[in-house]
Amino acid sequence: MRIMDIELVIFMFMLTVMSLYFNFAISLYGVVAKVNLVKKLIALTILQDTINIFTVLVGYRLLRPGLTLQPPVVIDLNPTPEVIKEFVTRSVDPLPQAFVLTAVVIGLAVTLFLTTIVLHVSRHFKTVNVDEIGRLKRGYIHEEAV
Amino acid sequence: MLRDAVFTTLLIIVIIALTYLTYSGGLGDLPPQDIRLIAKNYLNLTYNRDAYWLWTASPEAVSAIVWDYRGLDTLFETAVFYGAILAALTVFRGVAKLPDTAGSAGLSLVVKRSTALVTLAILTVATSTALHGHLTPGGGFQGGAIASIAPLLLLVVFGRRFFTDNRITYGKLLTLRNISLSLLGISTLTILLYGLLINASGYIFQNQAKATSPLSYPSHILDVPLGGTIFFLNLFEFLAVTSGFTLVFTILLSSEEILSKEFEGEDHGY
């Protein structure tokens, strides 16, 4: 692999990082600005996935001449010390992957909980529009006060 | 309109600021030239027989970190997931045990037959992902997440009463889930309890023998690495996740008539 190619690899990597920032910003916009609760929920899951991919990406390592990357799995089931040494030099970082695994489960739990709440809200107010829900609530409070 | 313009400007500033910080080395070299020292240690020890007091007997480093080196972390994560499912079940506790009143015949015969085959394939892939979690990328949670697609498909294609008609009731699924979670807890305590019985030292979450504790789970079965506790934890997590998801899907896919019963009562119960 020539020096030029390494620069290309770094450029492509940074481009991916930038596109993830872009994704992050758009999903943040969805969570904050959208009035539909279901759209907010979808934007939140995209936000979670963006952060997860970013975390895995940070655990990657630079592909360069003479280095073939591999997942963090020992392929040889009776490894010699040389095999282990080779494995350590070639494998990507397993720690962000383990963290992401935890984050995915927690994210799923949050999504499940929010879905249940949105379902509850939509059945109660017959709408998932937050502006509309606010208006209805004000109406209820006004009625009670009267 | 003004709101959208303000949001868009703010987001562009966020993107530019983050990109500038990344380019100026805020996150170090990207992509990194080398992995961190702690990751090197994990990779070096996970399947290193020469360091038998620190190895996990699992060739897959991610599973080893998830269920051995950082096992307590995962235990609490499982507790959070358990809590989320419990919250969903609690909201619908009144209607969860009721059989669906709307008898749905499901989709056509062609769809049913093809779904039966696909379901078999899904369950095979899920079981393989869960049971090979210590050998190849995968694990109990991933296997459970794949397997939970099967009940979702079955409920849509064969009708809402598929599970109740086939005697897979709410109670049975809840029992399976609770048993799996109990076994998950017990397998983390087995070495400690065994150590107490035979008067040897043992630890919570112990997988392989340590310098101060000679007890360990079997590292191999028929010459295939077993990963000690990792295999069992993956298996129980798989069962717990599958049954938990099945429970939630069954409730969330119930008919309107059943679900709306939960929301009757107070006039403005928000």
Side-chain angles (χ1 to χ4, degrees), chain A residues 21-79:
Chain A
Y21 286 155
F22 193 69
N23 218 8
F24 173 76
I26 290 178
S27 48
L28 205 63
Y29 171 80
V31 172
V32 176
K34 286 286 167 193
V35 289
N36 188 323
L37 279 174
V38 178
K39 286 184 183 171
K40 272 184 195 287
L41 193 63
I42 293 171
L44 189 74
T45 55
I46 296 173
L47 185 67
Q48 285 170 355
D49 291 339
T50 309
I51 304 284
N52 289 342
I53 293 173
F54 185 74
T55 314
V56 171
L57 208 65
V58 169
Y60 208 62
R61 67 200 314 185
L62 180 62
L63 188 69
R64 51 187 183 273
L67 179 74
T68 327
L69 297 180
Q70 72 169 78
V73 183
V74 184
I75 300 161
D76 191 346
L77 292 183
N78 290 306

Side-chain angles (χ1 to χ4, degrees), chain B residues 8 15 23 51 75 86 96 98 113 121 126 132-133 146 155 157 163 184 213 218 244 257 261:
Chain B
T8 316
I15 295 173
Y23 265 107
L75 191 72
L86 210 63
L98 297 177
R113 286 293 148 262
H132 289 175
I146 298 171
L155 283 171
V157 173
F163 286 134
L184 201 144
S213 166
E257 196 186 329
K261 278 187 189 172

Side-chain angles (χ1 to χ4, degrees), chain A residues 2 85 91 120 127:
Chain A
R2 298 194 311 274
K85 207 175 166 188
S91 170
H120 209 126
T127 176

Side-chain angles (χ1 to χ4, degrees), chain B residues 1 22 46-47 61 78 80 83 112 116 125 145 182 185 197 204 210 231 252 256-257:
Chain B
M1 199 62 202
T22 314
T46 180
Y47 199 66
T78 309
V80 169
K112 279 183 179 171
V125 171
S182 311
L197 273 179
I204 297 174
K210 304 289 163 217
F231 173 80
L252 289 183
E256 194 78 6
E257 196 186 329

